[in-house]
Every structure is written in structure tokens, then in C-alpha cells.
Amino acid sequence: MVIPFSSSMTTTSVPAGNSGVDQDSRNQMTPSLYTIPKDYPDLGKMQADYKENRAKMQLSGTQGTAGSVTSFAAGSSLPSPSSVSEKKSWCRRVAPCLAFLVAFSTAMALLLVWSEDADRRRKAFNINMTKEYVHSVPMDNSELVTYIREVHLLPTTHQDPLNSTQTEEEKYLSNLFPGKRNGIYLEYINRVGAISTTTWLESNMNWRGVLVLTDPRSFFEAHRSTRNTKTRVLHACLSTDKDTKEITYHQEPEVQVTKLGEGPNSLVSPDESLPPTRLKCFPLYSVLLAYNCTNLDYLSLDSLDAQDVQVLDTIPREMPRISVLSIQWSPHHNEVETKHLIQKLTERRYKHFHTTETGKMIFLYNRLLKI
């Protein structure tokens, strides 16, 4: 170890020419040159203090240098406990707000995606509802006949009593067929609020047949009624040509006109909000084959749509007869249209025999006419 030279050190010169000085006296002169000053720091004590201070700084989590001065870096100081506490409290206040914003943003994004998907599906549904599907298969196709018989022709459940009030048409039939029992009919009702003209015949004369209904509520009511166990109800429409179709059915409620003094003098349609439904249309001949009967004692077409008369054009010429034919004919039809209908049925060997007060035109097969 090199000991620095200090100005406080004293030196003793050896006189020249005094070489005869003995070795002991020379050794007493030179040690003053290497003597450590009394005010020089103690190196051992400094090293011990350094180690002690470093151990204290490691325990407190900080770094420092020898001495009492400590720091994180040059020119910086340790954060105070109060500032750390303020930061923690600020984080606790902000964290719930951030969590709410994240949850709200996620929910809104999912809602936006769902609304776009729902709008797309609604448009696709509306497009599908406007399409008309046609299945060009023969009317006597065995698969079609089996499909109608097994899927669509349903028996009644006998849950509600049957209204057996005799209608004008049934009175006419009872006079035309006095005492006739076990007759067979097919009744087609294509308007809301129409009254069936076969309930009395079933209750009192044990008639049976097929009741075809287009209105869903009327179909459910008929399905729950107590009709003949051999009677079947069908929720469908009769095709105006020889093809089986699937169409969009717009329910048209029966229009009522209020009388003066009982309310506003206007047309009342209480069920204007009825949604459209998909409906299958089967040829009349296919329905009769599914019911295993082509001979009818009574066929009723109760519809305000003039095109429903074209149902008769789908019946093959070689088909056995229909004894009595009843057609709902609107008074809005002019005389030319009425004459055209009568002439058309005359060509099929039917003669106009009677018109009821409810506007139904009754035709008889010519073999029953008393000429």
C-alpha cells in the first residue's frame, strides 16, 4: 500500500561527509519519512461503515452509496408513502368505471351484431313469404294422396260441443233427401266468420265428410268440436288448377257495417292486424282420393273469391257425380258473370235450382231433376 506524502511530515537530512555514522543512527533517521499522519482516516473503519450502510439499504429495498446519502438514481429521490397511497386510491376509484365501459361496449357490440342478423333473417323470411311454390305432380299420385291422408286429414278431438242449429242449406238438403242418413260431403270454407252448413246433418242424420278450412282459428275450433268420428278436418286451400301449391294466405276478416245511431258509419275490420300465413293448396280430386271417396252427396264452396269456382275445373270428367253443389256467390258479381257460371256448370250437367237468402247458388246433378 502506497502511503501518500503529507506536508506535515518532517524530514531529517544527513550531513554530508558524515559517512562514518553507524548503521543504527542511520535507521533512526529514515523512519520519519514513512510515518502515517495522525489525522489520516482509518481504512478499516471506513470499510466496516460501508458494509453496514449497504446492508441497511438492502433491507429497506433501496440502493445507495457509502455514507448516509441514498437515492434511486442520480438526481432523483424516493416517493413518499402519502403519494403511493394516493395512487392506490385513485386506481380503486377508476377501476369500476373502466370495467363498466368495457362491459357496456361489449354488450352494445353484441346487440348490434344481433340486430343486423335479425334484420337479415326478417328480410329472408319476407322474401320466402312472397314466393309461391308449385309441385307439378299428378292429382292421383300415390305419394301425394298418402301425404294428405297421413299428415293433413285430422279427426276431431271431441273437446267442444257441436252447434247443431239447422241452416237454410241443410233444410233444403233434408227436403231434397228426406230421411237420408250417412251422407257424404265436402265443405270448403275460405272466409273468416262463415258458418258451417253440415253440423246439423252430422248431429241428426249421421253424415260425415271432409271440412276444409283456410282460417287457422276456424280450423282449431273445428278440430276441437264433436263431429262424426269418420269426419276429417283439413287446414289448407283447394287449388284452382291441377297442381299442388304452397302460397301466402292473407286472412281477410269479415267486414261489418255499423248502423246509424250505433256508432261511426264506417267499415269495421276488427282483425286488421292478422299476420299472413303459409298455406298448402291441394287439388279437390286429390283430397277426395285421400278420403277414399269420390262420390259426394253434397259439395259446398263457401268463398267470396270468384276464382275458387275454378276448383270445379280440376275435377276429371270421368269422375262420378256430385249430387248437390252449393256455391257462395257474391252480390258484387254482375249479371254476365252469373250467366257465365250457370252456363259453365250446365256443360257439366248441373242445373241451377235454387238461391238461398245468404247468397248461395244450389245446383243439382241432372239425374235428380224431375223433367
Side-chain angles (χ1 to χ4, degrees), residues 80-348:
S80 62
S82 61
S83 63
V84 174
S85 177
E86 290 178 358
K87 288 183 179 179
K88 291 182 178 180
S89 62
W90 181 83
C91 292
R92 293 192 187 99
R93 291 194 302 268
V94 173
C97 298
L98 294 178
F100 171 77
L101 290 177
V102 172
F104 179 77
S105 301
T106 304
M108 291 301 295
L110 294 176
L111 181 61
L112 180 62
V113 172
W114 177 85
S115 62
E116 291 179 353
D117 182 66
D119 184 65
R120 178 182 57 80
R121 287 182 294 175
R122 180 183 59 81
K123 291 179 180 179
F125 176 78
N126 292 336
I127 293 175
N128 181 66
M129 289 290 286
T130 58
K131 290 183 178 179
E132 181 174 310
Y133 299 95
V134 179
H135 307 281
S136 299
V137 296
M139 294 187 296
D140 58 351
N141 181 274
S142 59
E143 294 182 0
L144 173 62
V145 172
T146 303
Y147 170 70
I148 298 174
R149 181 187 300 121
E150 300 294 335
V151 178
H152 291 278
L153 287 181
L154 303 178
T156 57
T157 59
H158 296 76
Q159 294 177 275
D160 298 332
L162 189 64
N163 182 13
S164 57
T165 303
Q166 191 177 28
T167 60
E168 185 179 356
E169 294 82 354
E170 291 172 315
K171 291 180 181 179
Y172 183 80
L173 290 173
S174 62
N175 294 331
L176 185 63
F177 305 109
K180 180 177 177 58
R181 301 181 63 85
N182 301 319
I184 301 176
Y185 70 86
L186 188 144
E187 185 175 13
Y188 176 49
I189 300 178
N190 187 21
R191 61 189 181 99
V192 179
I195 299 176
S196 175
T197 59
T198 57
T199 55
W200 183 87
L201 292 173
E202 286 207 18
S203 301
N204 297 274
M205 307 302 292
N206 199 34
W207 282 42
R208 65 182 177 88
V210 180
L211 182 61
V212 184
L213 299 162
T214 57
D215 178 48
R217 290 182 300 183
S218 301
F219 167 75
F220 293 137
E221 292 175 1
H223 187 229
R224 291 171 56 90
S225 64
T226 307
R227 285 182 174 262
N228 194 314
T229 55
K230 296 182 179 180
T231 294
R232 297 294 182 265
V233 291
L234 174 62
H235 183 214
C237 62
L238 295 180
S239 180
T240 56
D241 51 38
K242 298 182 180 181
D243 294 327
T244 300
K245 302 178 181 179
E246 182 177 347
I247 64 171
T248 300
Y249 172 70
H250 298 276
Q251 304 177 56
E252 298 179 358
E254 190 174 9
V255 179
Q256 301 175 354
V257 181
T258 59
K259 297 181 180 180
L260 292 176
E262 295 183 358
N265 188 18
S266 60
L267 298 179
V268 179
S269 298
D271 297 329
E272 291 180 350
S273 60
L274 293 175
T277 58
R278 298 294 292 180
L279 199 64
K280 288 182 172 58
C281 294
F282 301 111
L284 173 61
Y285 187 57
S286 301
V287 176
L288 294 177
L289 290 176
Y291 191 61
N292 293 322
C293 180
T294 54
N295 288 332
L296 293 178
D297 296 307
Y298 178 50
L299 173 62
S300 175
L301 301 178
D302 193 348
S303 174
L304 297 177
D305 191 354
Q307 293 183 354
D308 284 340
V309 180
Q310 299 177 10
V311 170
L312 301 174
D313 298 334
T314 64
I315 302 175
R317 291 284 182 175
E318 63 274 11
M319 177 182 173
R321 61 175 174 78
I322 299 173
S323 301
V324 181
L325 177 60
S326 174
I327 299 177
Q328 179 70 40
W329 197 246
S330 173
H332 299 292
H333 297 304
N334 55 41
E335 185 177 355
V336 176
E337 293 175 333
T338 304
K339 288 183 178 180
H340 177 71
L341 173 64
I342 295 175
Q343 181 180 0
K344 181 179 181 178
L345 292 177
T346 302
E347 295 175 356
R348 298 183 67 94

Side-chain angles (χ1 to χ4, degrees), residues 1 4 36-46:
M1 181 177 181
I36 299 174
K38 294 182 179 181
D39 58 349
Y40 194 84
D42 188 354
L43 295 179
K45 185 177 180 181
M46 289 176 60

Side-chain angles (χ1 to χ4, degrees), residues 9-20:
M9 296 182 184
T10 59
T11 59
T12 305
S13 60
V14 179
N18 196 7
S19 58

